[in-house]
């Protein structure tokens, strides 16, 4: 019996665009992918590819989104950090006021960005349809804030599932359904390796896009400290989950903020390079798991 090859695509906002580079190499090298499980940005990229396994079309669709009004309507340009190493006194004052405003908003709202904006963005990237109808078997992870459990969407409305999986806590309000309060899958399953096994994968190729290096906090404020603590927790959990994968891909992305989507070309290139660096290992594992006739056919091709 042919062993199933599964991809576990982790969350990480803009850094998750590195998944495209990984998918490109796997397609170029004719590595068979039987199923994909994604979290957050991994769910978005995974769903796009599962619906239509065509890297060129996927990339063109993303580029069209980033250069159009749809990206601007998300309001992420107000979230992207400014790398000003020597801010003026006035800049510091403005930042302090902005932080206070955010804190006031946080006390009265469940999210900064409207859910409708995320849903509209995902509708531009993913075709309408059901999870069961994707060309490659697909699922995505979310987190129930009431129970603390990972919820795996493997059937139902694809766009809705991906929207929930990528609802970043604090930025997109949680989704209430059947007594559950559903939020970003990255809270409990930043790299859904176990979920890929649950879906039937015998060999799991996992991609983590969490930052491997972090810079020192300069003059930290409350929001910065909380954000850093959450990032450290998430990175540690990702490393633990990655250990159970058969292949661990960790693209070199540096210290990139999750909102820097317009740097997508850099991230795609980083994912491509990491997959190329590990292609010998991937080939060996796939060959070990494939029947003899498939190995011979692949060598001839």
């Amino acid at each position: 019996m042919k062993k199933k090859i599964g991809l576990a695509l982790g969350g990480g906002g803009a850094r998750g665009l590195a998944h495209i580079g990984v998918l490109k190499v796997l397609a170029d090298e004719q590595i068979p992918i039987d199923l994909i499980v994604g979290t957050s940005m991994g769910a978005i990229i995974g769903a796009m590819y599962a619906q239509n396994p065509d890297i060129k079309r996927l990339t063109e669709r993303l580029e069209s989104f980033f250069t159009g009004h749809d990206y601007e309507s998300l309001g992420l340009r107000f979230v992207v950090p400014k790398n000003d190493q020597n801010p003026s006194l006035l800049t510091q004052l403005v930042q302090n006021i902005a932080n206070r405003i955010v804190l006031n908003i946080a006390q009265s709202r469940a999210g900064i960005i409207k859910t409708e904006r995320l849903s509209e963005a995902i509708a531009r990237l993913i075709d309408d349809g059901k999870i069961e109808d994707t060309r490659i078997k697909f699922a995505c992870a979310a987190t129930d804030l009431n129970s603390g459990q990972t919820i795996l969407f493997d059937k139902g409305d694809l766009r809705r599932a991906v929207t929930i999986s990528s609802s970043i806590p604090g930025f997109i309000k949680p989704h209430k359904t059947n007594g559950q309060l559903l939020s970003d899958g990255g809270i409990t399953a930043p790299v859904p390796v176990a979920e890929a096994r649950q879906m039937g994968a015998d060999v799991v190729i996992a991609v983590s896009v969490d930052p491997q290096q972090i810079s020192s906090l300069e003059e930290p404020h409350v929001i910065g400290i909380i954000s850093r603590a959450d990032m450290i927790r998430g990175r540690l959990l990702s490393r633990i989950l990655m250990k159970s994968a058969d292949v661990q891909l960790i693209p070199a992305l540096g210290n990139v903020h999750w909102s820097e989507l317009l740097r997508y070309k850099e991230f795609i290139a980083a994912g491509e390079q990491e997959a190329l660096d590990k292609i010998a290992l991937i080939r060996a594992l796939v060959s070990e798991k494939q029947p003899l006739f498939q190995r011979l056919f692949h060598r001839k091709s």
Side-chain angles (χ1 to χ4, degrees), residues 6-10 19 35-38 191-194 196 204-208 242:
L7 282 182
L9 304 181
H19 296 318
L35 63 94
I36 301 173
V37 182
V191 187
V193 178
V204 176
I205 302 170
V207 188
S208 172
M242 286 286 284

Side-chain angles (χ1 to χ4, degrees), residues 214-218 228:
I214 54 177
S215 58
S216 299
L217 283 176
E218 303 294 338
R228 175 57 62 87

Side-chain angles (χ1 to χ4, degrees), residues 60-226:
E60 289 174 347
R61 195 167 185 174
L62 274 173
E63 288 180 338
S64 176
F65 173 80
F66 288 142
T67 56
H69 173 72
D70 300 308
Y71 171 73
E72 284 295 323
S73 68
L74 276 176
L76 287 180
R77 63 190 179 93
F78 299 108
V79 180
V80 177
K82 304 296 187 297
N83 296 319
D84 190 348
Q85 299 300 321
N86 296 294
S88 66
L89 180 61
L90 177 61
T91 300
Q92 292 180 5
L93 177 61
V94 171
Q95 289 176 343
N96 186 267
I97 293 173
N99 291 335
R100 290 178 180 274
I101 292 173
V102 171
L103 284 173
N104 289 332
I105 291 175
Q107 293 177 351
S108 59
R109 292 173 58 177
I112 296 174
I113 300 173
K114 292 182 179 180
T115 305
E116 291 77 10
R117 290 184 177 179
L118 175 61
S119 298
E120 290 169 2
I122 287 176
R124 297 292 184 183
L125 297 172
I126 298 172
D127 296 332
D128 189 23
K130 293 184 178 181
I131 297 175
E132 305 95 302
D133 297 332
T134 55
R135 292 170 61 182
I136 298 176
K137 189 176 182 180
F138 175 78
C140 60
T143 300
D144 178 13
L145 297 179
N146 287 336
S147 68
Q149 300 296 312
T150 299
I151 306 299
L152 190 64
F153 289 101
D154 58 359
K155 59 184 177 181
D157 187 274
L158 180 62
R159 287 175 172 173
R160 177 179 179 274
V162 172
T163 298
I164 294 174
S165 178
S166 53
S167 294
I168 301 172
F171 288 87
I172 305 294
K173 70 178 182 179
H175 303 253
K176 295 182 179 180
T177 177
N178 299 324
Q180 296 175 322
L181 193 61
L182 302 176
S183 188
D184 196 294
I187 301 171
T188 54
V191 187
V193 178
E195 289 70 27
R197 302 272 190 210
Q198 180 181 332
M199 290 290 291
D202 301 299
V203 174
V204 176
I205 302 170
V207 188
S208 172
V209 293
D210 284 311
Q212 299 305 299
Q213 296 180 343
I214 54 177
S215 58
S216 299
L217 283 176
E218 303 294 338
E219 299 182 6
H221 49 69
V222 172
I223 296 175
I225 293 170
I226 294 174

Side-chain angles (χ1 to χ4, degrees), residues 219-283:
E219 299 182 6
H221 49 69
V222 172
I223 296 175
I225 293 170
I226 294 174
S227 177
R228 175 57 62 87
D230 181 66
M231 186 269 284
I232 292 172
R233 174 209 58 78
R235 189 172 71 156
L236 179 60
L237 178 56
S238 291
R239 289 179 175 179
I240 294 172
L241 297 175
M242 286 286 284
K243 290 181 180 179
S244 61
D246 297 286
V247 180
Q248 303 174 14
L249 301 183
I250 307 174
L253 300 171
N255 187 25
V256 178
H257 193 263
W258 65 265
S259 61
E260 297 183 77
L261 292 166
L262 295 183
R263 295 175 61 181
Y264 63 93
K265 290 183 180 179
E266 297 175 42
F267 309 146
I268 293 174
E272 190 172 352
Q273 186 60 56
E274 175 67 1
L276 286 171
D277 290 345
K278 302 284 180 65
I279 195 62
L281 172 60
I282 295 172
R283 277 191 177 282

